[in-house]
Amino acid sequence: MRNKHPPKPTLNPLQQDPFLMVNNKPRQYVVIGAVAGGAACAARLRRLDEQASIIVFEKGPDPSFANCGMPYYIGGEIKERGKLAVQTPKSLNARLNLDVRTLTEVLSIDTAGRSVRAKNLVNGEEYSVSYDELLLSPGAKPFLPPIPGIERAGNLSLRNLEDMDRIKTWIEAQQCKTAVVAGGGFIGIEMAEQLHRLGMDVTIVEALPQLMAPFDPEVASVLQTELQHKGVKVIVGAPIKGFEPPAKGGPGSDVVLDEARRLPADVVILGLGVRADTALPKAAGIELNARGGIVVDEHMRTSDPHVYAVGDATQVHNPITGGEWMVALAGPAARQGRVAADNMSGKVSGGRTYKGTWGSSAVRVFDLTAAGTGLNERGLEMAGVKYHAVHLHPSHHAGYFPGAETLSLKILFGAEGDTRGKLLGAQAVASEGADKAIDALAVALQAGMTVDDLAELELCYAPPVGSAKSPINYAGMIAQDMLEGLIDTAQWKELPAIVADPNTIIVDVRNPGELESKGVLHESAMNVPLDQVRSRLAELPRDKTIVVSCLSGQRGYYAARILRQEGFTVKNLDGGLRTYSSCPLGVAAGKAASDDDALSLCMTAPPSRACAVRVIRCPHEPTPRSRAGSAVAPALRNAQGQAPRDRLRVTWLVAGW
């Protein structure tokens, strides 16, 4: 259900509203909080109403800045601080005739009298300002849980340019060599990359089992592999217990994970999530949700008919589930600001509606880009939506043209009922082409397209930039076959159960040379190359389910179609080895994420238990042995030479989700 507030009457500016143009007095708009949503609203209001008085209050010194660029200034990739200060009070006044009052805190809102009480933080002066329409754009503040020692010097969060300056100053003054980034979300990942760029020894600590919660585990694992490949340490599933004075002395903290693990850090970046900064509207009686978000309707209007709200602190419509959610992204905030301005001004016939936020986002992690739109699997499961998943790994442009890179793409679509065949979400990761694919799929998602539509999309093609059948076309075609019952698939997370099932057999349809160079899916798999499937049908059991696998899923699909038409019960491992080998099952279907962990597990494996070691590399490395592989392999060979053959088995798998 959409948020519904009492309908706002259609007003005649000269007759029906005593606050409008009384005695020909221009309207007065007040905006609390600038940056993305508030600044966008104020600018739009001026374009709609040249005579209005528009007052913008901003608690900090900067009314409009590129907060998404702050990590890149800290790391030196953006050289000039001034590039981030998009506008100043002076420039906003000169260009848009806005009355921008920085370093001014709004203390209270009187909704009955339509006024706000403000305080100048420089001289302490307090005063009241009336409004005809009010916009709230308070944003979200860093979440600081009650962890012992979290307030220690050198534990820094990043919300605005002042925070950015503090981090940069601390790093330079303390000559920081080690850093711990607490939290593996967008800010955490970007800060880890930039601190590494500064030459620091960086460790990311994440309490959840994976980095980047908006992505599914097999996508997040690729980003984790890339971070580790570049030298950033990653620890997941490890809540921080406390911050203590460094055992070595000096500035910074020791980050305590448990009795055995203390991470020394000259600087700690606190990226533990955000919370809506809504104490002000709460005190004014504005309706909030259970998470403290401001409840708005499709016009961005709050429970008070003359107060609107936009940005990270608002609860907005989720068009995929039909429910509500909170999404902290700059793009939606700016668009919400425009919608709110159109409705506040009354200048747009019929008003303007905000249709909802779809959650389209992207992150760069060294040489890779990951992007997504819509819901992930966890979101769909929480909403009770039945879905199917498709993984594929085509080239980002024509494979025969130089420079083709693997684009790993995942789509989620409805399995039954009203959502059957409807696109529900998509994710991609690649060194080239991920953002392009997700941009197209974001449009498809917002247009309500189905997988049939994806199969038929006409997209740009030339060998240097695309393929005659684009990755999106292929995804739609695979999904069509699934819905039409032409193919059944098994997902990467099902593989342990498949291996354990005596009524299931894995058939790898790659050529023998690939098994040697790329690694095996599982030691129990039977190898029947695709071109030999028809001639070797007699070798395959008809009383078991056959799961076929290849490198990326395409040859497995061909084999599955042959076997199905020959009367076999068959499934294709979706995405093949490339998807499974990047999955977060880890060493021994467990967790080892580092060279030391992998080696330790192998060396301590009991004689009765085989130990499978998965050495993962970046998808675009030319050889199957990663930085981790080069460190672990000699020791493993030595261990194998000293141990009985049944004690240790080493399986090399090549990541490339």
Side-chain angles (χ1 to χ4, degrees):
M1 291 288 293
R2 295 301 302 270
N3 302 316
K4 293 294 182 183
H5 297 133
K8 185 176 180 180
T10 302
L11 301 176
N12 181 322
L14 298 180
Q15 297 177 3
Q16 295 186 25
D17 190 337
F19 284 83
L20 281 177
M21 296 294 289
V22 177
N23 299 322
N24 294 321
K25 181 181 178 181
R27 304 188 78 190
Q28 180 151 294
Y29 301 102
V30 170
V31 175
I32 301 176
V35 193
C41 179
R44 176 67 171 172
L45 284 170
R46 174 58 70 218
R47 292 193 292 271
L48 293 171
D49 190 344
E50 180 62 23
Q51 304 306 315
S53 171
I54 304 173
I55 301 172
V56 180
F57 290 109
E58 173 56 50
K59 188 176 180 180
D62 304 291
S64 182
F65 57 93
N67 51 356
C68 296
M70 294 188 297
Y72 303 101
Y73 173 72
I74 292 171
E77 199 165 350
I78 294 175
K79 303 296 184 185
E80 300 177 34
R81 185 187 187 281
K83 296 284 187 181
L84 300 178
V86 180
Q87 297 286 350
T88 66
K90 183 177 181 180
S91 67
L92 287 170
N93 180 263
R95 179 67 56 87
L96 297 169
N97 192 25
L98 301 179
D99 181 358
V100 180
R101 305 181 187 184
T102 56
L103 297 173
T104 302
E105 180 180 6
V106 175
L107 304 175
S108 62
I109 303 169
D110 177 4
T111 56
R114 293 204 216 174
S115 68
V116 301
R117 187 75 177 168
K119 178 180 180 179
N120 185 312
L121 298 178
V122 176
N123 59 25
E125 176 192 1
E126 292 188 17
Y127 56 93
S128 295
V129 173
S130 63
Y131 64 83
D132 295 310
E133 305 292 332
L134 172 67
L135 180 89
L136 303 175
S137 180
K141 58 186 177 182
F143 174 56
L144 301 177
I147 301 173
I150 196 170
E151 75 288 343
R152 286 184 52 78
N155 289 4
L156 304 168
S157 56
L158 181 61
R159 183 185 186 185
N160 51 40
L161 296 184
E162 294 173 287
D163 293 337
M164 178 187 76
D165 292 338
R166 274 191 286 270
I167 292 172
K168 194 170 180 65
T169 298
W170 177 271
I171 290 172
E172 293 172 354
Q174 304 298 334
Q175 299 181 340
C176 295
K177 299 292 190 298
T178 59
V180 168
V181 176
F186 286 96
I187 289 293
I189 295 293
E190 291 166 351
M191 281 300 304
E193 181 194 56
Q194 293 302 307
L195 294 175
H196 179 273
R197 177 186 171 90
L198 293 176
M200 300 176 66
D201 184 343
V202 182
T203 301
I204 300 174
V205 178
E206 170 56 57
L208 296 176
Q210 67 168 78
L211 303 176
M212 296 298 296
F215 293 99
D216 285 321
E218 70 274 27
V219 184
S221 288
V222 179
L223 303 182
Q224 178 173 329
T225 299
E226 174 72 355
L227 287 160
Q228 292 170 324
H229 174 71
K230 289 297 193 294
V232 175
K233 301 179 185 70
V234 179
I235 302 173
V236 295
I240 294 173
K241 298 296 195 301
F243 301 92
E244 298 181 356
K248 63 179 178 56
S253 297
D254 280 355
V255 181
V256 181
L257 304 185
D258 51 43
E259 292 183 1
R261 290 183 295 178
R262 299 171 63 95
L263 307 176
D266 298 328
V267 62
V268 176
I269 303 299
L270 300 172
L272 299 169
V274 295
R275 295 293 185 270
D277 192 359
T278 52
L280 183 64
K282 180 180 181 180
I286 302 295
E287 183 183 357
L288 306 181
N289 67 12
R291 295 180 57 197
I294 304 171
V295 176
V296 297
D297 64 11
E298 63 268 30
H299 303 292
M300 306 310 300
R301 183 167 51 110
T302 71
S303 55
D304 184 282
H306 298 286
V307 180
Y308 295 73
V310 300
D312 297 352
T314 60
Q315 170 185 285
V316 295
H317 182 56
N318 182 330
I320 304 166
T321 66
E324 313 295 326
W325 63 344
M326 296 176 67
V327 181
L329 291 171
R335 293 191 297 277
Q336 292 162 17
R338 178 184 174 92
V339 169
D342 287 354
N343 294 316
M344 292 167 70
S345 71
K347 299 282 188 177
V348 175
S349 177
R352 189 85 66 189
T353 60
Y354 183 72
K355 297 179 176 62
T357 298
W358 302 83
S360 301
S361 61
V363 62
R364 187 194 73 184
V365 183
F366 292 106
D367 296 334
L368 297 181
T369 297
T373 188
L375 292 182
N376 60 14
E377 291 195 45
R378 182 170 178 269
L380 291 171
E381 289 164 1
M382 291 176 65
V385 178
K386 301 296 184 183
Y387 65 91
H388 291 304
V390 166
H391 299 80
L392 62 158
H393 307 275
S395 297
H396 85 288
H397 62 53
Y400 59 80
F401 193 86
E405 298 284 357
T406 298
L407 167 65
S408 295
L409 177 64
K410 175 180 184 177
I411 68 166
L412 299 167
F413 59 97
E416 59 185 41
D418 293 340
T419 63
R420 178 178 166 82
K422 189 175 181 180
L423 182 65
L424 302 173
Q427 300 164 47
V429 61
S431 59
E432 296 286 347
D435 52 339
K436 176 183 175 181
I438 295 302
D439 277 343
L441 287 164
V443 173
L445 182 67
Q446 294 175 51
M449 288 187 180
T450 66
V451 295
D452 291 329
D453 298 318
L454 299 185
E456 297 173 7
L457 274 182
E458 183 177 333
L459 301 172
C460 295
Y461 164 59
V465 298
S467 301
K469 282 193 285 191
S470 78
I472 295 172
N473 293 143
Y474 277 121
M477 293 171 184
I478 297 169
Q480 281 180 321
D481 282 357
M482 292 173 64
L483 290 176
E484 291 167 5
L486 296 175
I487 189 73
D488 288 331
T489 61
Q491 293 299 318
W492 62 267
K493 64 186 79 173
E494 301 174 53
L495 195 59
I498 290 170
V499 170
D501 185 358
N503 295 313
T504 302
I505 182 174
I506 301 173
V507 175
D508 194 324
V509 299
R510 293 176 295 154
N511 296 321
E514 289 182 78
L515 304 185
E516 180 66 26
S517 64
K518 302 292 188 183
V520 298
L521 179 69
H522 191 267
E523 59 187 10
S524 66
M526 177 180 181
N527 181 220
V528 181
L530 175 61
D531 294 343
Q532 300 176 21
V533 168
R534 291 182 180 89
S535 63
R536 295 176 62 181
L537 293 176
E539 300 177 34
L540 302 176
R542 292 184 177 272
D543 60 344
K544 294 185 178 183
T545 297
I546 298 174
V547 175
V548 291
S549 174
C550 63
L551 182 61
S552 64
Q554 186 174 17
R555 284 172 290 175
Y557 163 75
Y558 296 150
R561 288 301 301 144
I562 294 170
L563 294 174
R564 184 164 187 148
Q565 293 175 82
E566 292 290 343
F568 290 87
T569 301
V570 59
K571 295 182 178 182
N572 184 29
L573 183 64
D574 186 39
L577 179 65
R578 276 186 168 153
T579 296
Y580 177 73
S581 62
S582 69
C583 74
L585 295 179
V587 174
K591 56 187 177 181
S594 71
D595 301 356
D596 293 339
D597 289 340
L599 183 57
S600 174
L601 184 59
C602 293
M603 298 298 285
T604 58
S608 60
R609 182 178 177 184
C611 177
V613 180
R614 301 175 61 253
V615 179
I616 298 177
R617 72 173 178 91
C618 172
H620 307 290
E621 274 193 16
T623 63
R625 295 193 177 179
S626 67
R627 185 181 60 84
S630 62
V632 176
L636 292 182
R637 286 194 294 270
N638 183 56
Q640 286 179 298
Q642 298 175 2
R645 291 182 61 84
D646 64 351
R647 175 169 180 176
L648 187 65
R649 298 191 187 101
V650 180
T651 301
W652 297 96
L653 294 182
V654 181
W657 179 90

